[in-house]
Amino acid sequence: MTDPLFDLSGRIAVVTGGLGQMGALYTAGLAERGMRVAVFDVAAEAGADGDLVRRYPVDVTDRASIEDATNAVIADWGVPHLLVNNAALDSPPDAPPEEVGPFESYPESSFDAVMDVNVKGVLLCCQVIGGHMAEAGRGSIVNVSSIYGLLSPQQDVYEFRRGGGETFFKPVAYSVSKSALLNLTRYLATYWAKSGVRVNTLTLGGIFAEQPKEFLDAYGARVPLGRMANPEEALGAVVFLASEASSYVTGANLVVDGGWSAW
Ligand SMILES: NC(=O)c1ccc[n+]([C@@H]2O[C@H](COP(=O)([O-])OP(=O)(O)OC[C@H]3O[C@@H](n4cnc5c(N)ncnc54)[C@H](O)[C@@H]3O)[C@@H](O)[C@H]2O)c1
């Protein structure tokens, strides 16, 4: 039996960053539930994966590229019902030392690059795709944030990175960019309330991705559920926010963090 509360079949989604760890999981999970999913990713080659998934090379910092892909989605499928603003830059494991060094010398260029994708990219996707949703009188937008947008990173979980005497701080730009989304969500939830577009934040804790054991142990010791999230544990929240089950939920922050922020 399909539960009408959670029924997404025949609806249209855009998942930004849909080629990444979490974006690929949302794309597959939404398509399994009958959604047609447009993947907008800067690393994508245009193409299709079966009938339900199409890939578009989109740089979310470039409004023209978002508009072109959105127009193609609308022409082929119609106005999206769901936008998951998932594309983001974090500092990769091979980040140059100054990017994970002291706050005082964190590079301005890194700050700009992270804010550009993580904040302006979300704003532009909301402008373009959310604008079409508002005209259509319905839609749901999920802005993906992080526990590091709610709270400061706990720098001691990265102790394993300092074994050889190197400096390592989880950098500031990611945190600042992710907390900006909390109020972009609230702003747009009220702005579009009468247009039938709901806007929510999904705040995720750390997701398991074969991190080194020292990190997994340090992280697990600091979270009530004692472990990182498995990637598929974020999908239920996206399905909920996409579906009728959340028809009275807007401007909210759904925290999926194993209790990290509870103590
Ligand atoms: N993985 C985690 O532990 C974790 C924890 C909390 C929150 N999150 C959030 O979940 C989301 C996804 O994280 P992930 O770990 O899957 O990341 P990821 O690095 O695996 O994927 C990010 C994707 O975004 C794409 N991208 C980057 N810049 C882009 C641009 N300018 N335009 C379009 N696409 C672009 C990349 O090509 C990539 O496919 C992010 O918003 C992240 O902040 C992740």
Side-chain angles (χ1 to χ4, degrees):
M1 182 198 108
T2 308
D3 184 339
L5 269 182
F6 294 97
D7 184 12
L8 298 177
S9 54
R11 297 193 190 182
I12 301 148
V14 173
V15 177
T16 72
L19 295 187
Q21 185 197 13
M22 298 308 296
L25 183 127
Y26 302 143
T27 299
L30 295 170
E32 271 167 30
R33 285 160 181 78
M35 286 192 104
R36 284 170 285 185
V37 186
V39 167
F40 284 12
D41 198 299
V42 73
E45 280 177 31
D49 295 323
D51 293 338
L52 293 177
V53 177
R54 291 192 187 166
R55 288 173 267 112
Y56 300 83
V58 174
D59 180 346
V60 295
T61 67
D62 172 7
R63 188 181 166 114
S65 108
I66 303 167
E67 282 173 344
D68 288 349
T70 303
N71 289 338
V73 171
I74 292 173
D76 290 349
W77 285 342
V79 174
H81 299 77
L82 172 68
L83 165 62
V84 185
N85 279 311
N86 163 80
L89 296 183
D90 196 354
S91 94
D94 56 354
E98 62 274 17
E99 216 170 282
V100 293
F103 166 77
E104 288 84 346
S105 49
Y106 180 72
E108 201 178 318
S109 57
S110 302
F111 187 82
D112 289 343
V114 170
M115 295 299 281
D116 219 28
V117 175
N118 296 13
V119 181
K120 191 176 86 174
V122 175
L123 178 105
L124 292 176
C125 288
C126 286
Q127 283 186 319
V128 174
I129 300 164
H132 285 291
M133 289 174 165
E135 271 173 33
R138 46 75 182 152
S140 170
I141 298 176
V142 178
N143 293 326
V144 181
S145 185
S146 156
I147 48 171
Y148 292 170
L150 266 187
L151 301 164
S152 170
Q154 287 202 7
Q155 298 291 357
D156 53 357
V157 298
Y158 300 98
E159 198 52 47
F160 76 101
R161 293 284 306 262
R162 305 182 188 113
E166 318 83 299
T167 310
F168 184 93
F169 294 100
K170 181 77 184 173
V172 64
Y174 184 75
S175 292
V176 173
S177 71
K178 289 296 174 181
S179 60
L181 298 186
L182 294 169
N183 224 34
L184 178 63
T185 289
R186 295 184 193 109
Y187 182 100
L188 291 176
T190 61
Y191 180 78
W192 278 325
K194 299 274 188 331
S195 307
V197 180
R198 297 183 295 104
V199 187
N200 292 289
T201 303
L202 170 58
T203 291
L204 299 178
I207 311 284
F208 178 72
E210 310 288 345
Q211 289 91 343
K213 183 175 182 318
E214 303 93 298
F215 176 78
L216 294 173
D217 289 348
Y219 190 98
R222 282 161 186 77
V223 64
L225 289 191
R227 59 175 177 83
M228 302 193 86
N230 294 315
E232 56 278 10
E233 290 179 299
L235 180 62
V238 173
V239 170
F240 169 69
L241 292 173
S243 69
E244 289 314 301
S246 61
S247 58
Y248 199 59
V249 181
T250 196
N253 180 25
L254 180 47
V255 180
V256 177
D257 70 350
W260 175 280
S261 56
W263 63 18

